[in-house]
Amino acid sequence: MEETRKSAEERMKKSLESFRQDLMSVRTGRATPAILDGVRVDYYGSAVPLKQIASISAPEPRLLVVQPYDKTVLGDIEKAIQKADLGFNPSNDGQIIRIPIPPLTEERRQDLVRKVKKTSEEYKVSVRNIRRDAIEELRKKEKGKEISEDELRRGQTEIQKTTDNYIVQVDSLLTGNEKEILED
């Protein structure tokens, strides 16, 4: 019974981490290197993530700087950032690429909040599905006489508490990200 609960908690933890990573790639008013995580650059015939061929930093709240390890791909990186349709206008000085982050419009902020809420709901559903699978596994063990009815109820209660804890954490991350998006 304990291994079922631990397995479910481990899967919930991975789901929460994945949600945290997704939130990092959402563009807020501030510049963060994670905004460019989805950008892939054509590098010698294969599409590679930008962060593998360049260092990305945010020296100012509204500026990203991309410094390629190989200067010959500067133009390709610039094209890839424009093609990613993130609303950025990169400028290339021959050494580095500067990407000014324009302030978000109110309409765009509301769109981002809706997107983040939708994503959080998907992760909550994923956590609940993990709970359902764990409880189903406990029921099978009870039917197979591996655990008693009391142990089944106790296990269901523990799994529900764990689920509630992870749902609260998802909500907490959502609230923090919402505030960050709506701030100026």
Side-chain angles (χ1 to χ4, degrees):
M1 184 175 80
E2 187 60 26
E3 70 185 48
T4 301
R5 190 193 63 74
K6 281 184 179 176
S7 169
E9 185 170 9
E10 193 59 40
R11 289 174 56 205
M12 288 178 190
K13 193 179 289 182
K14 285 179 184 172
S15 192
L16 182 69
E17 262 318 299
S18 184
F19 180 54
R20 191 173 278 130
Q21 291 298 317
D22 280 359
L23 287 180
M24 287 176 68
S25 66
V26 173
R27 181 181 158 208
T28 60
R30 291 188 203 94
T32 60
I35 294 172
L36 299 176
D37 279 356
V39 177
R40 299 183 78 69
V41 181
D42 184 36
Y43 188 61
Y44 294 109
S46 61
V48 295
L50 175 60
K51 62 183 175 185
Q52 285 186 4
I53 60 170
S55 73
I56 306 166
S57 61
E60 297 172 22
R62 296 211 179 270
L63 179 71
L64 284 175
V65 174
V66 179
Q67 190 164 16
Y69 304 126
D70 176 3
K71 304 284 186 244
T72 61
V73 294
L74 215 54
D76 294 333
I77 291 173
E78 192 174 10
K79 286 178 195 160
I81 292 169
Q82 288 170 336
K83 219 191 303 182
D85 198 29
L86 296 168
F88 298 145
N89 191 17
S91 65
N92 168 354
D93 71 1
Q95 298 292 316
I96 59 173
I97 296 174
R98 287 184 178 80
I99 307 167
I101 307 294
L104 294 170
T105 63
E106 194 56 40
E107 184 181 326
R108 182 69 179 132
R109 288 177 197 274
Q110 295 304 324
D111 284 347
L112 286 173
V113 167
R114 275 193 290 279
K115 178 183 171 191
V116 168
K117 282 184 178 178
K118 182 177 182 271
T119 303
S120 81
E121 280 307 313
E122 291 168 4
Y123 279 97
K124 286 182 192 178
V125 166
S126 126
V127 167
R128 290 183 189 119
N129 286 341
I130 294 166
R131 173 196 61 196
R132 184 199 61 222
D133 293 347
I135 289 175
E136 198 63 39
E137 192 176 316
L138 288 178
R139 285 188 181 135
K140 284 180 186 172
K141 286 182 179 184
E142 195 255 341
K143 275 188 178 162
K145 305 288 185 212
E146 293 177 48
I147 61 173
S148 70
E149 207 174 301
D150 288 344
E151 288 174 316
L152 170 65
R153 271 198 291 281
R154 195 169 33 256
Q156 287 175 326
T157 304
E158 284 181 29
I159 289 170
Q160 184 60 51
K161 284 179 186 173
T162 304
T163 302
D164 293 343
N165 177 29
Y166 279 92
I167 295 289
V168 166
Q169 289 182 53
V170 167
D171 283 338
S172 169
L173 286 172
L174 169 67
T175 304
N177 199 268
E178 257 183 87
K179 282 180 186 171
E180 197 174 311
I181 290 171
L182 296 173
E183 279 176 2
D184 214 22

